[in-house]
């Protein structure tokens, strides 16, 4: 698996997504999918091309993605690290909401119609596992073989952001993608990024259902009542919190790397090395995929 194959996989993901949206749009007068099948299809669109690409390459999935065991002490610190990183993503999400709607909140009404444990399983466990397998596993490791760790980090994070196909989620997914790569390098295990992602998504699901259970109305209705002044005030306050918690998160990440004896791996992110394979990181399929994703997102923003 190298950058060329990774870029073809991502192009397939984007084309499948656009094709599925067009097909469902054509079928909508006759049949409309509910939220659960929609989520399952979206995960299959990401997972299937990656697994087919891996099968064609002949590489061992377990060996490539690195399901290494992690110390219990590191697991506990990863949980702490996850919560410390959340304020930063909240700030980025809030900034994006100055320009676009919160996508998750917009579909919260559909989500709340489904039993809590069903959505927790799909959004909180299945989604994170499949996305980590693809983006921090197959895609990141593929890019890593073709360029520097920093290049692989940035490109895999960009692809993870674009995969969401909307500007709101893409904004904070870019930062999360970078954080998760750093976590994988600190532990040497994909389980660490899976744990982070599971906690992150699960707390969003829990907040959604808790908000509804207390009879505070829909999140989409609450979002519509937030003015720009209120949002700017919230961002200002959260910036201070995020500055403190992000600094602490960096310290925790360093502790995790030391605990797993991978301090050098974490430092290697910022070091450059010559391209071992001679493969170009950015290829025509990647450019087509990026342009297609941006065009779709822009069209979706204009129309809706």
């Amino acid at each position: 698996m190298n950058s060329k194959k990774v870029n073809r996989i991502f192009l397939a993901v984007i084309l499948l997504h656009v094709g599925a949206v067009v097909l469902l749009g054509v079928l909508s007068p006759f049949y409309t999918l509910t939220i659960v099948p929609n989520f399952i299809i979206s995960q299959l669109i990401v997972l299937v091309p990656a697994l087919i690409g891996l099968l064609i390459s002949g590489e061992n999935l377990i060996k490539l993605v690195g399901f290494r065991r992690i110390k219990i002490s590191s697991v506990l610190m990863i949980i702490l690290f996850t919560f410390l990183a959340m304020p930063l993503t909240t700030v980025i999400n809030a900034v994006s909401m100055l320009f676009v709607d919160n996508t998750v909140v917009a579909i919260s009404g559909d989500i709340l119609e489904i039993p809590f444990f069903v959505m927790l399983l799909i959004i909180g466990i299945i989604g994170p596992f499949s996305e980590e397998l693809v983006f921090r596993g197959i895609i990141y490791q593929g890019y890593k073989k073709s360029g520097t760790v920093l290049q692989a980090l940035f490109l895999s994070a960009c692809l993870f952001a674009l995969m969401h196909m909307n500007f709101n989620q893409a904004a904070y997914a870019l930062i999360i993608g970078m954080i998760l790569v750093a976590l994988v390098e600190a532990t040497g295990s994909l389980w660490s990024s899976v744990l982070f992602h599971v906690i992150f998504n699960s707390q969003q699901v829990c907040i959604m259902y808790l908000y509804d259970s207390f009879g505070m109305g829909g999140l989409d209705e609450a979002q519509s009542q937030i003015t720009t002044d209120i949002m700017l005030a919230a961002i200002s306050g959260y910036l201070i919190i995020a500055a403190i918690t992000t600094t602490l998160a960096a310290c925790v990440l360093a502790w995790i790397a030391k605990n797993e004896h991978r301090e050098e791996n974490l430092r290697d992110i910022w070091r450059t090395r010559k391209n071992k394979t001679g493969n170009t990181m950015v290829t025509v399929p990647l450019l087509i995929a990026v342009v297609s994703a941006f065009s779709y997102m822009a069209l979706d923003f204009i129309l809706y």
Side-chain angles (χ1 to χ4, degrees):
M1 184 67 64
N2 55 36
S3 59
K4 290 182 179 179
K5 294 175 182 177
V6 166
N7 292 343
R8 293 191 196 110
I9 288 171
F10 186 65
L11 175 59
V13 169
I14 297 301
L15 293 180
L16 279 173
H17 180 93
V18 174
V21 170
V22 172
L23 179 61
L24 291 174
V26 171
L27 296 176
S28 61
F30 313 101
Y31 180 74
T32 302
L33 285 179
T34 58
I35 194 77
V36 173
N38 261 307
F39 271 119
I40 293 172
I41 290 171
S42 67
Q43 292 305 314
L44 288 175
I45 285 172
V46 171
L47 194 58
V48 171
L51 292 179
I52 291 174
L54 188 69
L55 184 66
I56 293 171
S57 71
E59 290 203 49
N60 183 292
L61 175 64
I62 305 299
K63 190 175 291 185
L64 175 68
V65 303
F67 285 113
R68 174 178 171 270
R69 291 179 62 183
I70 311 170
K71 295 177 182 178
I72 295 298
S73 54
S74 294
V75 170
L76 295 174
M77 294 302 278
I78 290 168
I79 295 171
L80 174 61
F81 175 76
T82 304
F83 284 101
L84 288 173
M86 284 181 185
L88 176 62
T89 61
T90 300
V91 169
I92 296 166
N93 182 33
V95 171
S96 73
M97 287 170 63
L98 293 172
F99 309 97
V100 295
D101 289 336
N102 186 311
T103 304
V104 176
V105 169
I107 61 172
S108 61
D110 295 327
I111 292 174
L112 291 171
E113 292 178 358
I114 308 300
F116 168 72
F117 287 106
V118 174
M119 296 314 300
L120 185 65
L121 176 65
I122 295 172
I123 299 177
I125 298 174
I126 295 175
F129 182 80
S130 65
E131 289 174 13
E132 290 311 306
L133 187 65
V134 173
F135 287 95
R136 257 61 62 184
I138 296 169
I139 288 178
Y140 171 65
Q141 297 299 336
Y143 277 141
K144 197 176 170 184
K145 288 184 178 181
S146 300
T148 67
V149 178
L150 187 60
Q151 288 172 331
L153 177 152
F154 182 70
L155 273 176
S156 63
C158 285
L159 267 55
F160 180 59
L162 290 173
M163 177 272 298
H164 289 83
M165 301 296 276
N166 66 81
F167 289 115
N168 170 246
Q169 287 180 293
Y172 58 85
L174 176 65
I175 302 303
I176 291 174
M178 294 179 182
I179 291 171
L180 290 173
V181 167
L183 189 56
V184 168
E185 287 298 327
T187 60
S189 176
L190 192 70
W191 288 123
S192 60
S193 65
V194 170
L195 178 58
F196 181 109
H197 205 152
V198 165
I199 295 170
F200 187 91
N201 279 22
S202 296
Q203 63 88 28
Q204 287 189 320
V205 175
C206 290
I207 289 173
M208 205 176 296
Y209 279 86
L210 281 172
Y211 192 91
D212 182 65
S213 67
F214 284 117
M216 292 185 284
L219 286 174
D220 51 348
E221 182 183 342
Q223 177 181 255
S224 64
Q225 295 174 356
I226 298 175
T227 64
T228 302
D229 289 340
I230 293 173
M231 187 63 71
L232 288 172
I235 291 170
S236 300
Y238 257 102
L239 270 174
I240 299 170
I241 297 171
I244 297 169
T245 58
T246 303
T247 302
L248 292 173
C251 295
V252 171
L253 184 66
W255 187 93
I256 293 170
K258 184 176 181 180
N259 194 46
E260 295 291 329
H261 307 292
R262 290 182 60 86
E263 301 100 312
E264 283 301 310
N265 298 81
L266 195 58
R267 294 191 192 103
D268 280 345
I269 292 176
W270 310 108
R271 294 172 183 167
T272 57
R273 61 172 171 80
K274 291 184 178 180
N275 190 315
K276 291 181 180 179
T277 64
N279 288 321
T280 303
M281 301 286 281
V282 179
T283 61
V284 172
L286 179 62
L287 292 175
I288 294 173
V290 170
V291 171
S292 300
F294 264 110
S295 300
Y296 176 92
M297 291 158 66
L299 188 62
D300 182 64
F301 173 71
I302 294 169
L303 294 178
Y304 302 102

